[in-house]
Protein backbone atom coordinates (compact mmCIF):
# COMPACT_ATOMS: atom_id res chain seq x y z
CA UNK A 1 0.00 0.00 0.00
CA UNK A 2 1.43 3.40 -0.91
CA UNK A 3 1.22 6.24 1.64
CA UNK A 4 1.20 9.93 0.98
CA UNK A 5 2.48 12.67 3.27
CA UNK A 6 0.22 15.28 4.81
CA UNK A 7 1.71 17.92 2.52
CA UNK A 8 0.98 15.76 -0.55
CA UNK A 9 -2.59 15.19 0.66
CA UNK A 10 -3.05 18.95 1.13
CA UNK A 11 -1.66 19.56 -2.31
CA UNK A 12 -4.05 17.03 -3.91
CA UNK A 13 -6.98 18.52 -2.02
CA UNK A 14 -6.20 22.05 -3.14
CA UNK A 15 -5.87 20.83 -6.76
CA UNK A 16 -9.24 19.10 -6.48
CA UNK A 17 -10.80 22.24 -5.01
CA UNK A 18 -9.42 24.48 -7.71
CA UNK A 19 -10.62 22.08 -10.41
CA UNK A 20 -14.18 22.42 -9.09
CA UNK A 21 -14.64 18.68 -8.52
CA UNK A 22 -15.46 19.00 -4.80
CA UNK A 23 -18.05 21.63 -5.60
CA UNK A 24 -19.51 19.37 -8.28
CA UNK A 25 -19.67 16.35 -5.96
CA UNK A 26 -21.41 18.45 -3.29
CA UNK A 27 -24.02 19.45 -5.84
CA UNK A 28 -24.63 15.80 -6.76
CA UNK A 29 -25.00 14.95 -3.06
CA UNK A 30 -27.41 17.82 -2.51
CA UNK A 31 -29.47 16.84 -5.58
CA UNK A 32 -29.72 13.28 -4.26
CA UNK A 33 -30.88 14.59 -0.91
CA UNK A 34 -33.60 16.74 -2.52
CA UNK A 35 -34.79 13.71 -4.53
CA UNK A 36 -34.77 11.39 -1.51
CA UNK A 37 -36.78 13.78 0.67
CA UNK A 38 -39.27 14.53 -2.09
CA UNK A 39 -39.80 10.83 -2.87
CA UNK A 40 -40.35 10.08 0.82
CA UNK A 41 -43.38 12.36 0.75
CA UNK A 42 -44.90 11.24 -2.55
CA UNK A 43 -47.20 8.48 -3.79
CA UNK A 44 -47.28 9.41 -7.50
CA UNK A 45 -44.10 11.13 -8.63
CA UNK A 46 -43.25 11.94 -12.24
CA UNK A 47 -40.27 13.33 -14.12
CA UNK A 48 -40.86 16.18 -16.58
CA UNK A 49 -38.57 15.26 -19.45
CA UNK A 50 -37.85 17.59 -22.38
CA UNK A 51 -35.24 15.46 -24.11
CA UNK A 52 -32.65 18.04 -23.10
CA UNK A 53 -29.42 17.60 -21.16
CA UNK A 54 -30.74 19.05 -17.87
CA UNK A 55 -33.81 16.87 -17.61
CA UNK A 56 -31.69 13.89 -18.69
CA UNK A 57 -29.51 14.39 -15.62
CA UNK A 58 -32.58 14.60 -13.37
CA UNK A 59 -34.10 11.53 -15.00
CA UNK A 60 -30.90 9.60 -14.29
CA UNK A 61 -30.55 10.86 -10.71
CA UNK A 62 -34.19 10.08 -9.87
CA UNK A 63 -34.18 6.65 -11.52
CA UNK A 64 -31.03 5.71 -9.64
CA UNK A 65 -33.20 6.00 -6.52
CA UNK A 66 -36.35 4.52 -8.09
CA UNK A 67 -36.01 3.05 -11.62
CA UNK A 68 -39.76 2.70 -12.05
CA UNK A 69 -40.68 6.37 -12.11
CA UNK A 70 -42.40 7.44 -15.32
CA UNK A 71 -41.26 10.46 -17.31
CA UNK A 72 -43.56 12.75 -19.28
CA UNK A 73 -42.52 14.44 -22.54
CA UNK A 74 -44.60 17.15 -24.26
CA UNK A 75 -44.23 16.83 -28.01
CA UNK A 76 -45.31 20.30 -29.10
CA UNK A 77 -45.46 19.32 -32.77
CA UNK A 78 -42.57 21.65 -33.65
CA UNK A 79 -39.78 19.64 -32.05
CA UNK A 80 -36.47 18.87 -33.72
CA UNK A 81 -36.86 15.43 -35.34
CA UNK A 82 -33.64 14.43 -33.56
CA UNK A 83 -35.27 15.16 -30.20
CA UNK A 84 -38.41 13.12 -30.86
CA UNK A 85 -36.34 10.18 -32.13
CA UNK A 86 -34.03 10.39 -29.13
CA UNK A 87 -36.84 10.63 -26.55
CA UNK A 88 -38.46 7.52 -28.04
CA UNK A 89 -35.30 5.53 -27.25
CA UNK A 90 -35.74 6.12 -23.53
CA UNK A 91 -37.80 3.67 -21.51
CA UNK A 92 -41.02 4.53 -19.73
CA UNK A 93 -41.60 7.97 -21.22
CA UNK A 94 -45.20 9.04 -21.85
CA UNK A 95 -45.50 11.31 -24.89
CA UNK A 96 -48.13 14.04 -24.66
CA UNK A 97 -49.57 16.16 -27.48
CA UNK A 98 -51.30 19.55 -27.31
CA UNK A 99 -54.83 20.10 -28.60
CA UNK A 100 -53.85 23.45 -30.16
CA UNK A 101 -51.17 23.30 -32.85
CA UNK A 102 -48.37 25.88 -33.09
CA UNK A 103 -49.63 26.98 -36.49
CA UNK A 104 -53.17 27.45 -35.23
CA UNK A 105 -51.91 29.25 -32.15
CA UNK A 106 -49.73 31.82 -33.89
CA UNK A 107 -52.26 32.31 -36.72
CA UNK A 108 -54.62 33.82 -34.15
CA UNK A 109 -54.38 37.58 -34.54
CA UNK A 110 -54.09 38.28 -30.83
CA UNK A 111 -51.17 35.92 -30.33
CA UNK A 112 -48.34 36.56 -32.77
CA UNK A 113 -45.02 34.80 -32.39
CA UNK A 114 -43.78 33.72 -28.97
CA UNK A 115 -41.90 36.16 -26.80
CA UNK A 116 -39.33 37.96 -28.85
CA UNK A 117 -39.64 41.73 -29.28
CA UNK A 118 -37.97 41.39 -32.68
CA UNK A 119 -41.08 39.71 -34.03
CA UNK A 120 -43.21 42.81 -33.61
CA UNK A 121 -45.86 41.05 -31.53
CA UNK A 122 -45.11 39.96 -28.04
CA UNK A 123 -47.02 37.70 -25.74
CA UNK A 124 -45.84 36.29 -22.47
CA UNK A 125 -45.82 32.55 -22.18
CA UNK A 126 -49.20 31.82 -23.79
CA UNK A 127 -47.61 29.55 -26.37
CA UNK A 128 -45.93 27.42 -23.68
CA UNK A 129 -49.21 27.30 -21.78
CA UNK A 130 -51.06 25.94 -24.84
CA UNK A 131 -48.42 23.57 -26.17
CA UNK A 132 -46.83 22.31 -22.96
CA UNK A 133 -48.50 23.35 -19.73
CA UNK A 134 -52.09 22.40 -20.58
CA UNK A 135 -51.35 18.82 -21.77
CA UNK A 136 -48.97 18.26 -18.83
CA UNK A 137 -51.42 19.62 -16.26
CA UNK A 138 -54.18 17.42 -17.67
CA UNK A 139 -51.93 14.37 -17.42
CA UNK A 140 -50.95 15.20 -13.82
CA UNK A 141 -54.57 15.65 -12.88
CA UNK A 142 -55.78 12.48 -14.62
CA UNK A 143 -53.02 10.44 -12.94
CA UNK A 144 -53.18 12.04 -9.46
CA UNK A 145 -49.56 13.18 -9.76
CA UNK A 146 -48.41 14.66 -6.46
CA UNK A 147 -44.76 15.43 -7.30
CA UNK A 148 -43.02 16.64 -10.47
CA UNK A 149 -39.23 16.57 -10.87
CA UNK A 150 -37.82 19.11 -13.31
CA UNK A 151 -34.40 19.88 -14.75
CA UNK A 152 -34.73 23.65 -14.29
CA UNK A 153 -31.49 25.44 -13.37
CA UNK A 154 -30.90 28.99 -12.21
CA UNK A 155 -28.06 29.16 -14.73
CA UNK A 156 -30.63 29.91 -17.42
CA UNK A 157 -31.86 33.32 -16.25
CA UNK A 158 -31.68 35.89 -13.48
CA UNK A 159 -35.43 35.63 -12.92
CA UNK A 160 -35.10 31.91 -12.39
CA UNK A 161 -32.29 32.53 -9.86
CA UNK A 162 -34.46 35.00 -7.90
CA UNK A 163 -37.32 32.54 -8.03
CA UNK A 164 -35.27 29.72 -6.52
CA UNK A 165 -33.94 32.08 -3.84
CA UNK A 166 -37.51 32.83 -2.85
CA UNK A 167 -39.09 29.37 -3.18
CA UNK A 168 -36.21 26.92 -2.72
CA UNK A 169 -35.84 23.70 -4.73
CA UNK A 170 -38.92 21.92 -3.33
CA UNK A 171 -42.35 23.45 -2.73
CA UNK A 172 -46.07 22.98 -3.13
CA UNK A 173 -47.32 24.33 -6.46
CA UNK A 174 -50.58 25.59 -5.00
CA UNK A 175 -52.31 26.36 -8.29
CA UNK A 176 -52.54 22.68 -9.23
CA UNK A 177 -51.87 21.14 -5.82
CA UNK A 178 -48.75 19.09 -6.43
CA UNK A 179 -45.13 19.43 -5.30
CA UNK A 180 -42.33 20.55 -7.57
CA UNK A 181 -38.73 19.47 -7.01
CA UNK A 182 -35.77 21.00 -8.85
CA UNK A 183 -32.79 18.85 -7.80
CA UNK A 184 -30.22 20.57 -10.05
CA UNK A 185 -31.45 24.14 -9.49
CA UNK A 186 -27.93 25.33 -8.59
CA UNK A 187 -25.98 23.45 -11.29
CA UNK A 188 -24.03 25.17 -14.03
CA UNK A 189 -23.96 23.99 -17.62
CA UNK A 190 -20.48 22.54 -16.92
CA UNK A 191 -21.83 20.54 -13.97
CA UNK A 192 -24.51 19.08 -16.21
CA UNK A 193 -22.04 18.00 -18.90
CA UNK A 194 -19.68 16.69 -16.21
CA UNK A 195 -22.45 14.45 -14.86
CA UNK A 196 -23.37 13.23 -18.35
CA UNK A 197 -19.71 12.44 -19.07
CA UNK A 198 -19.02 10.70 -15.76
CA UNK A 199 -22.16 8.58 -16.01
CA UNK A 200 -21.73 7.85 -19.69
CA UNK A 201 -25.30 8.95 -20.50
CA UNK A 202 -26.44 9.00 -24.08
CA UNK A 203 -27.63 12.54 -24.72
CA UNK A 204 -29.75 14.17 -27.43
CA UNK A 205 -27.63 14.38 -30.65
CA UNK A 206 -29.11 17.82 -31.37
CA UNK A 207 -26.36 19.24 -29.11
CA UNK A 208 -23.71 18.00 -31.54
CA UNK A 209 -24.99 20.34 -34.27
CA UNK A 210 -22.85 23.50 -34.26
CA UNK A 211 -24.81 26.55 -33.08
CA UNK A 212 -27.56 24.59 -31.28
CA UNK A 213 -27.41 24.90 -27.50
CA UNK A 214 -30.97 24.07 -26.60
CA UNK A 215 -33.21 21.23 -27.64
CA UNK A 216 -36.59 22.98 -27.22
CA UNK A 217 -39.08 23.86 -29.96
CA UNK A 218 -37.49 24.23 -33.38
CA UNK A 219 -39.41 27.41 -34.27
CA UNK A 220 -39.35 29.15 -30.91
CA UNK A 221 -38.78 32.90 -31.10
CA UNK A 222 -38.97 33.50 -27.36
CA UNK A 223 -35.27 33.82 -26.63
CA UNK A 224 -32.60 36.25 -27.78
CA UNK A 225 -30.49 34.07 -30.10
CA UNK A 226 -33.45 32.52 -31.95
CA UNK A 227 -32.45 33.90 -35.37
CA UNK A 228 -28.94 32.43 -35.18
CA UNK A 229 -30.21 29.09 -33.91
CA UNK A 230 -32.89 28.89 -36.61
CA UNK A 231 -30.29 29.58 -39.29
CA UNK A 232 -27.78 27.15 -37.71
CA UNK A 233 -30.23 24.25 -37.87
CA UNK A 234 -31.70 24.86 -41.31
CA UNK A 235 -31.90 28.24 -43.11
CA UNK A 236 -35.07 26.96 -44.79
CA UNK A 237 -36.79 27.15 -41.38
CA UNK A 238 -37.09 30.91 -41.79
CA UNK A 239 -39.28 30.31 -44.86
CA UNK A 240 -41.40 27.91 -42.84
CA UNK A 241 -41.85 30.61 -40.21
CA UNK A 242 -42.87 33.07 -42.92
CA UNK A 243 -45.35 30.50 -44.14
CA UNK A 244 -46.81 30.26 -40.67
CA UNK A 245 -47.01 33.93 -39.94
CA UNK A 246 -46.81 36.23 -42.94
CA UNK A 247 -44.03 38.79 -43.21
CA UNK A 248 -45.65 41.41 -40.98
CA UNK A 249 -45.28 39.22 -37.91
CA UNK A 250 -41.61 38.67 -38.64
CA UNK A 251 -40.60 42.35 -38.64
CA UNK A 252 -36.91 42.59 -37.81
CA UNK A 253 -36.16 39.03 -38.77
CA UNK A 254 -34.53 39.75 -42.12
S1 LIG B 1 -40.72 26.81 -26.19
FE1 LIG B 1 -41.34 28.52 -27.54
S2 LIG B 1 -42.39 27.62 -29.33
FE2 LIG B 1 -42.23 26.04 -27.69
S3 LIG B 1 -44.13 26.15 -26.62
FE3 LIG B 1 -42.75 27.49 -25.51
S4 LIG B 1 -42.97 29.55 -26.42
FE4 LIG B 1 -43.94 28.04 -27.80
Amino acid sequence: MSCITLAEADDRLSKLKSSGIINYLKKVESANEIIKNALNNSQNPIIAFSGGKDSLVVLDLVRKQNPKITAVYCNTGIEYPETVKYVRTIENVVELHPITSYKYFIDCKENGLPGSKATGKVHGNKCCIELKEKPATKYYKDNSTDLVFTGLTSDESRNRMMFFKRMGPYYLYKKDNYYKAHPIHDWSENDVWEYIRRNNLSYNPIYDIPGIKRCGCRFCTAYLSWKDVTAAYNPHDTEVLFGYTGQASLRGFV
Side-chain angles (χ1 to χ4, degrees), residues 23-220:
N23 201 16
Y24 162 81
L25 292 174
K26 274 190 184 160
K27 286 180 184 174
V28 175
E29 198 181 314
S30 157
N32 278 324
E33 202 56 29
I34 291 167
I35 293 166
K36 191 170 118 195
N37 290 335
L39 286 177
N40 280 342
N41 293 304
S42 166
Q43 304 297 317
N44 282 314
I46 208 118
I47 304 158
F49 184 57
S50 67
K53 62 185 184 342
D54 302 332
S55 56
L56 169 66
V57 167
V58 170
L59 181 120
D60 190 69
L61 284 163
V62 171
R63 287 190 175 170
K64 279 195 164 101
Q65 296 198 30
N66 183 342
K68 290 186 181 153
I69 297 182
T70 300
V72 163
Y73 164 65
C74 286
N75 181 343
T76 57
I78 46 165
E79 305 285 303
Y80 290 106
E82 289 86 345
T83 299
V84 178
K85 202 169 161 197
Y86 164 73
V87 169
R88 290 176 182 166
T89 66
I90 295 179
E91 270 181 45
N92 195 11
V93 178
V94 176
E95 191 171 319
L96 306 176
H97 299 269
I99 294 168
T100 311
S101 76
Y102 178 75
K103 181 173 178 349
Y104 175 84
F105 176 77
I106 62 173
D107 272 352
C108 292
K109 292 265 179 297
E110 69 271 23
N111 291 325
L113 288 169
S116 169
K117 285 182 183 138
T119 60
K121 284 185 179 180
V122 181
H123 65 74
N125 58 349
K126 277 191 215 162
C127 182
C128 270
I129 290 174
E130 287 299 324
L131 303 189
K132 294 179 178 176
E133 201 177 306
K134 281 188 182 173
T137 305
K138 181 176 183 321
Y139 179 90
Y140 301 155
K141 210 172 172 187
D142 291 349
N143 291 276
S144 309
T145 301
D146 59 3
L147 168 64
V148 179
F149 288 105
T150 84
L152 294 186
T153 66
S154 50
D155 210 26
E156 289 167 45
S157 77
R158 196 194 293 157
N159 281 352
R160 182 93 39 91
M161 191 178 283
M162 306 290 281
F163 178 81
F164 283 134
K165 268 206 164 355
R166 193 160 39 89
M167 300 298 288
Y170 173 68
Y171 53 85
L172 176 67
Y173 183 54
K174 288 185 188 153
K175 183 171 159 274
D176 293 315
N177 198 35
Y178 60 79
Y179 281 84
K180 285 193 180 186
H182 311 287
I184 62 165
H185 67 105
D186 56 351
W187 289 33
S188 66
E189 191 178 349
N190 283 345
D191 296 325
V192 167
W193 284 118
E194 181 69 15
Y195 184 92
I196 289 172
R197 191 183 62 76
R198 281 172 173 250
N199 291 274
N200 201 21
L201 302 183
S202 103
Y203 61 87
N204 187 338
I206 197 76
Y207 292 113
D208 291 334
I209 297 177
I212 311 275
K213 287 191 99 185
R214 57 186 289 285
C215 78
C217 300
R218 182 173 166 189
F219 298 107
C220 186

